[in-house]
Amino acid sequence: MNVSVKNYTNRYIIITILVVMAVWALLFYAVLMDEVYDNVDDGLKNQKIEIIREAYTNSDVLNNTREFGINQFRILPGNVEDFTDRNHFTNELIYMPYDEEDEPYRVLRTGFYSKEGNPYLLEIRTSTVEQDDFLINLAISLTVLYMVIILSILVVNQLILTRAWLPFTRILSNLSNYRFGNVSSFQPVETKVKEFNELNRQINLMIQRNESVFTEQKRFLENASHELQTPLAITINKLDLLLQDDELSERQLTKIAEAKQSLHRMVGLNKSLLMLSRIDNHQYKEVENVNFNELIKELLRDVEDFVSFREIKFNLTEETIFSTSCNSDLARILISNLLRNAIKYNTNPGVIDIQISFNRLDICNSSTSGALNPQYIFERFHKGYQDSQSNGLGLSIVKSIVETCPNLEIAYRFENNFHVFSLIRS
């Protein structure tokens, strides 16, 4: 699933901060506990020195502190074999009447000699931090801190990144409006961000290169089409003269007729390419309100004889007038191509239904060949499987003409064994 840059960034920031804070929390806990125990141990060592000094001057301390009292230490007779004066620290749980539960204590055990030279064991204890409670409090604090940081980042990203990426969004919007042949359709976005300015510059360079190539292609196509017209016409005329030669055999005449037919196809292809070139070059600039109802009736009269020969029946249904702003010459070519297509790929006998409503014009022809691929039928030189003699430019010309009409769209569907081409007014 695609995500925006902002959400993509937020995702990794959240994960990264979570990992960093978790590692930091563990290190912080270890350092803090080490510091706590170090301070506690220093206090126990200092208390040890004071107790031993007091025992040297007051022998009652040796005899009256066999149990822990309010001073939290006790002195027990020692054993010469096990005697050591090294400090030994342990963490122990000792029952606390106030809380009615065991609490953590830090205990110092060491040995010393009395004034008389007798060995004694000294135990000193002091209450320390409850690690469980400390961990819980630390976790709660870090969780709150994490949430505050994340919310702050999200708010900052929403306010700052959205604003920072606004030029990029506008560049994309302007780029989507760009059309070949119209350089002004892309407008660079003024911004103070270095990267976006570079993006604007590169897009402008790309457009200039594409426009240059596109212009050269159109010029070449138009010039080539013009140059081909004359030699093709001359060649066809010479073939017509050859067909009138009585000395040629029937086989030779057939070959010449086939060559003439191929040349006529080339002439048709040449005219179609020239038409596409002129449409792409915006040479049909005059626009007027075209009444498609009258245009269809006029074109139907022109093909009436041919349709009767093919045993094709026309059904024209008019609910209202279908009209839109378009070049009248292109509109005639548009409807003519759709009608020729409906006649050419019809059954024999067949039916052509034309349905006209306020916002829609449908041209439907019966067929037994199945549906066409709507993704390719309007592409140039796509002929499909119906007619190998077609140059594949008829529907491409239709699509190009529709694109010159701002309020017109074309769509294709196949239903009930009918190919349906629809002109839709938006």
Side-chain angles (χ1 to χ4, degrees), residues 304-371:
E304 185 176 0
D305 295 337
F306 181 70
V307 170
S308 299
F309 175 76
R310 286 282 307 272
E311 298 183 6
I312 296 175
K313 180 181 178 182
F314 271 111
N315 296 319
L316 177 60
T317 304
E318 298 178 273
E319 296 181 3
T320 183
I321 300 298
F322 183 89
S323 62
T324 188
S325 296
C326 186
N327 180 274
S328 58
D329 294 331
L330 291 182
R332 178 177 293 275
I333 296 171
L334 168 64
I335 298 300
S336 178
N337 278 11
L338 289 177
L339 287 177
R340 285 207 307 267
N341 188 76
I343 295 171
K344 187 175 184 179
Y345 300 111
N346 214 314
T347 56
N348 192 10
V351 178
I352 294 179
D353 290 332
I354 302 177
Q355 302 171 4
I356 304 176
S357 60
F358 180 73
N359 290 323
R360 193 181 192 92
L361 191 157
D362 292 338
I363 299 179
C364 319
N365 65 278
S366 55
S367 173
T368 58
S369 60

Side-chain angles (χ1 to χ4, degrees), residues 173-175 177-187 211:
S173 177
N174 292 348
L175 188 59
N177 296 326
Y178 167 69
R179 295 294 181 270
F180 275 119
N182 186 6
V183 180
S184 61
S185 59
F186 174 77
Q187 295 295 330
E211 288 293 333

Side-chain angles (χ1 to χ4, degrees), residues 180-181 214 218 221 275-283 380 400:
F180 275 119
F214 188 60
K218 291 191 296 183
L221 183 61
M275 170 65 65
L276 285 172
S277 177
R278 288 173 176 173
I279 294 174
D280 292 338
N281 285 326
H282 306 287
Q283 295 184 9
R380 299 180 183 183
S400 296

